[in-house]
Amino acid sequence: MNLAVKLRRNLRRLVILLATFCMVSVIVSAYYLYTGSAQELDLTDHGVGPDCAELRVLPFRPAELKMPKPMDPSRKDPVVLVFVESQYSQLGQDIIAILESNQFRYQAEIAPGKGDIPPLTHKGRGRYALVIYENVLKYVGMDAWNRDLLDKYCVEYSVGLIAFHRASENSQPTMHLKGFPLTLQTNVPLCDCCVNPRSPLLYVTRAEVDRGPLPGDDWTVFQSNHSTYEPVLLARSRLSADDANGRMVTGLQATVVQDLGLYDGVQRVLFGQGLGYWLHRLILVDAIAYLTGKKLSRSLERYILVDIDDIFVGKKGTRMKVDDVKALLETQNMLRTQISNFTFNLGFSGKFFHTGTQEENDGDDLLLKYVNEFWWFPHMWSHMQPHLFHNESSLMEQMILNKDFALEHGIPVDMGYAVAPHHSGVYPVHMQLYEAWKRAWGIRVTSTEEYPHLKPARYRKGFIHNHIMVRCCHVRPVAYSHTPSSTRNILEAQKSWTRASKEESFS
Ligand SMILES: [Zn+2]
C-alpha cells in the first residue's frame, strides 16, 4: 500500500517537474524568438526613421533577401542601348541627359512597335552592357522572337535591363505585367518616400526618408509575391478609402523594384514613374552602376571649389558689412564640419577697397583681418574685362596694381589661380591674357563655363591653353542675406567644380 502511495507521489512529482520544464523551455524559446525578431527589426529600421518601419509588411514576400548573381562586366562594350518612344519624348531625353552627364556611351533607338532590335553581338562580343526602355510596355509587348533574342542576350552576356512605366489617364487602375509575376497599380498618389536599406544596388543613394508628397498623382506601384522582386524605393499611398476604382492600396508601396533575376535569369530595375522625381534620378545612376558591374559608374570622390568673386566690388549700400564677413567665416566653419578643409576662395579687385559706406569699409577691414582664413585669387584690379585690352603691357599694368595691393595687405599671391571678370578672354582665347597672367602672377589654373558652349551645361569641358589649365565651372548668382539688414548680391557668383572633364589642348 505504502509503496503504491509513494509511487503515485513520485509520479505526480515527475509530471509537475516535466510540466515545469516544458513551461520554462516555452518561455525561454519565446524570449529568444522575440529578441531575435526585435534585433532584425532594429536592423531594418536603422537610419530609415519611423516612416519606413513598415518595411516588413510590404506587399512583397517578406522573405530574407536572396543575393542576386553579381553582374559580369566582361565580354561586351560599355555602351547603353536606349529604346526611346520618340526623338522628342521627355523621359527619353531625361534618360539620355543622365547618360551624357555621366559621360557614358549610348545608342538611342526609337522603340519599334513589333520589337525589331539592332544586332546585339559582333564576333562573339556583346555590343551593349545595358538596355534601357523608356516604356516597359514596349519591352513586354515585343514579339516572341525578338523578346527571346534580347532576353537570351541578357542572360548569356550578363546584361541588365532598366524600364519605366508611366501611367496615363487611360491606364487600367490595376494591371499585370505581361509575362511577369508582377502587378501594377497605376495613378496612385504617394508621399514620404524611403529608400530600402537592404537594396543591393545602393551606391550614391543613401537609405534615408524624403518626407512630403511626391510630385504628381500618376505613380505606378509594384506588387508581387515572387522573391525575385526587391523594392528599392517605397512610398506611402495617399489613396483614400473611397478610391474611384475601389482599390485598397494602402501603406508602403514600391515605386522602384529590382528584379534579382530569380524568375528568368535577367536582372532588371523597374521604375513606376519618369525622372521628374529627384530620387528616381539618383536610383537610375545607381541602377546603371549596379547592372553594369560598376563598369558605368563614377567615383564617389568629389572635389568642390566655391569661388566668391567681386570682393570689394559693388555699389555703396550693397557691400559686405562686419556681420556679413562674420557670417561668411561661420558658414565656412559650418561647412568644415561636413567637408574637411573646406575654404572659400575669394576673388578680389583691389581698386574698390574702402569705397563703400563706413559700415562697409569696416567690413573690408574685417575681411583683411581674416585674410589667412580664406583663399584668395586675383579678379583684375578694376574689374575690367581682359579682352578689352589689346596690348599685353596695359593688361600687365592692371595685374601688377592688384598684386601690389595684395602684397600690401598680406593677401597670398602664390595660389596660381585666377578668374577673369565674366571669364572674358578665357574662351575664345585672348592670348595676351594668358601671357600676362603667367608673367604677372604665375597663373596655372583658371575656369570658364563657355567652352565649347554655355549650354547645355553637361557638354562643358575643360582644356589646356599655353600651359594654363582651364576648368569648367558652373556659375550661380547668390543673394546673401545672413541678417535682415545685411548686404545682398555680394556673393555675385558661386562656382563649383564637380568634375574636371576631358582636357583638350589648343595648338
Ligand atoms: Zn566679377
Side-chain angles (χ1 to χ4, degrees), residues 169-189:
E169 288 169 7
N170 303 324
S171 300
Q172 294 166 20
T174 302
M175 55 193 274
H176 293 279
L177 197 65
K178 190 180 157 193
F180 294 97
L182 194 63
T183 303
L184 278 56
Q185 302 277 357
T186 63
N187 293 310
V188 179

Side-chain angles (χ1 to χ4, degrees), residues 339-400:
I339 310 162
S340 55
N341 301 326
F342 179 87
T343 307
F344 282 121
N345 200 20
L346 310 186
F348 61 98
S349 299
K351 185 183 173 183
F352 304 102
F353 177 65
H354 272 185
T355 55
T357 62
Q358 185 55 50
E359 277 182 301
E360 290 167 344
N361 292 348
D362 292 346
D364 287 359
D365 289 334
L366 187 62
L367 207 50
L368 289 181
K369 199 178 151 203
Y370 293 153
V371 67
N372 294 321
E373 301 288 336
F374 302 110
W375 291 353
W376 297 79
F377 65 90
H379 192 52
M380 293 295 281
W381 164 252
S382 59
H383 204 265
M384 285 282 279
Q385 296 183 26
H387 76 274
L388 301 173
F389 294 82
H390 286 291
N391 69 49
E392 197 185 310
S393 58
S394 48
L395 252 177
M396 278 291 286
E397 242 170 59
Q398 289 273 313
M399 288 185 186
I400 295 298

